[in-house]
Amino acid sequence: MTKSTQAINRAASHQLMKDFSLEMTGKDIPALLEARTLIPLGTRINVTFLGNEDLEMRVAAARSAREMGFVPVPHISARRLESTQGLREFLGRLQDVDATQHILAVGGDPARPEGPYSDSLSVIRSGVLQEFGVREVGIGGYPEGHPDIPTEILWRALEDKSAALQEQGLDTVIFTQFAFDTAPVAEWIEAVRAKGITAPIRVGTPGPAGIKRLLGFARRFGVGANAMIVKKYGFSLTNLVGVAGPDNFVNDLAAVLADHSAGRGPGLPGQVGLHFYTFGGLSETANWARRFTAGQE
């Protein structure tokens, strides 16, 4: 690789790292407070909607993110909502802390809905979001598929949600499930754009975390983690001791996107950023991001 190519690749990685987003749970307020000086102001912080956390925890996390100078992106888990009143109460409480402009609508883990919403599309089509000042809705993307949902249904859902949000005048951003391998991610982005979906895409990948922990999440979410893929990512299935980070993934994805943008690939990727799942902790991911970005300058 020539020095010129290395410089181009570093610039591409630096560009991809701009405006990354992070993930926290309702329990992570102390961790966010600890990491706050490491995270750029204005960073989007997704706040998960877990079954073992309640309304107060979710709202408190969103409020804390806002008060620390970040942009909260609360999750709405459709199948966990017990009623339309419950949705209104959640959004109302979020509006009270100025945290409804950006939300992420997901189906959620329960196999059966706990209320009237069978999926995130039904929440979007309810018309309730606009009543509480929602301007942008995040939706899920699955470059490597979903362990319980056929691929054709995933594509139909993505197209239907994109169309519904456009019809309602709401902005859209796509957050993908985390990945270890850039090849299926790049192919999926190309397919998204081929369908005429132009919304910004935030590609999910884990921040630095213990290898056993990463593999546990990969098995849980049906993410490919065979020997070839994880070696490319930066660790081995035969040595599960230690921590792995997304350096290789970010560099590889940046190079692929740069090639496509320069016309050396089959299609233009459009607006693509990164979303880090903080399995190893907010401070660890924020520290890694600062060190990695400095190394690309």
Side-chain angles (χ1 to χ4, degrees):
M1 183 182 298
T2 66
K3 290 184 178 180
S4 175
T5 301
Q6 289 177 332
I8 291 172
N9 288 346
R10 283 200 303 272
S13 295
H14 189 271
Q15 181 63 32
L16 183 60
M17 282 293 294
K18 288 185 176 179
D19 189 35
F20 61 82
S21 52
L22 299 168
E23 192 126 330
M24 70 177 292
T25 73
K27 300 182 181 72
D28 284 337
I29 295 175
L32 184 62
L33 184 62
E34 179 184 348
R36 64 183 299 184
T37 60
L38 303 170
I39 304 170
L41 293 176
T43 296
R44 296 179 187 220
I45 308 289
N46 286 20
V47 180
T48 58
F49 195 115
L50 300 179
N52 60 356
E53 296 179 352
D54 60 20
L55 174 64
E56 300 303 325
M57 296 175 70
R58 297 166 191 145
V59 173
R63 181 181 62 243
S64 295
R66 171 69 70 193
E67 291 175 347
M68 292 182 205
F70 307 121
V71 177
V73 184
H75 292 195
I76 296 176
S77 181
R79 285 188 287 275
R80 291 194 187 281
L81 296 169
E82 296 181 357
S83 65
T84 298
Q85 180 56 35
L87 173 59
R88 290 180 182 276
E89 181 183 6
F90 181 42
L91 290 170
R93 292 290 305 281
L94 289 173
Q95 191 174 43
D96 289 342
V97 298
D98 192 22
T100 56
Q101 293 186 26
H102 309 266
I103 64 101
L104 173 63
V106 298
D109 292 334
R112 294 184 178 181
E114 297 174 11
Y117 303 108
S118 60
D119 53 27
S120 55
L121 180 60
S122 60
V123 172
I124 292 168
R125 285 177 170 167
S126 70
V128 174
L129 301 180
Q130 297 92 320
E131 298 176 20
F132 294 89
V134 174
R135 295 189 328 195
E136 178 189 85
V137 178
I139 55 178
Y142 299 88
E144 296 188 58
H146 189 286
D148 302 318
I149 305 174
T151 300
E152 61 272 18
I153 293 178
L154 290 174
W155 279 117
R156 189 182 314 130
L158 184 65
E159 292 177 280
D160 289 346
K161 285 182 282 189
S162 299
L165 290 168
Q166 187 173 14
E167 289 169 4
Q168 295 180 38
L170 295 171
D171 293 335
T172 307
V173 60
I174 302 169
F175 289 85
T176 81
Q177 179 58 275
F178 72 89
F180 290 128
D181 187 13
T182 57
V185 171
E187 292 171 5
W188 181 85
I189 292 173
E190 180 187 344
V192 170
R193 300 310 188 211
K195 292 179 179 294
I197 299 173
T198 59
I201 295 171
R202 290 182 174 268
V203 176
T205 196
I211 294 171
K212 287 184 178 180
R213 186 172 177 84
L214 288 175
L215 291 176
F217 277 104
R219 285 191 292 269
R220 177 181 172 187
F221 293 109
V223 175
N226 63 45
M228 181 182 69
I229 289 173
V230 299
K231 182 178 180 180
K232 183 177 178 181
Y233 186 81
F235 61 91
S236 169
L237 290 176
T238 60
N239 182 9
L240 303 183
V241 178
V243 172
D247 302 64
N248 291 347
F249 180 90
V250 173
N251 285 328
D252 289 350
L253 182 61
V256 170
L257 295 175
D259 280 345
H260 283 237
S261 294
R264 295 187 292 270
L268 295 176
Q271 185 176 340
V272 178
L274 291 169
H275 177 71
F276 291 108
Y277 292 90
T278 56
F279 301 141
L282 280 161
S283 290
E284 289 78 3
T285 299
N287 261 315
W288 172 88
R290 177 169 287 195
R291 292 193 305 269
F292 178 86
T293 301
Q296 310 308 311
E297 294 176 345

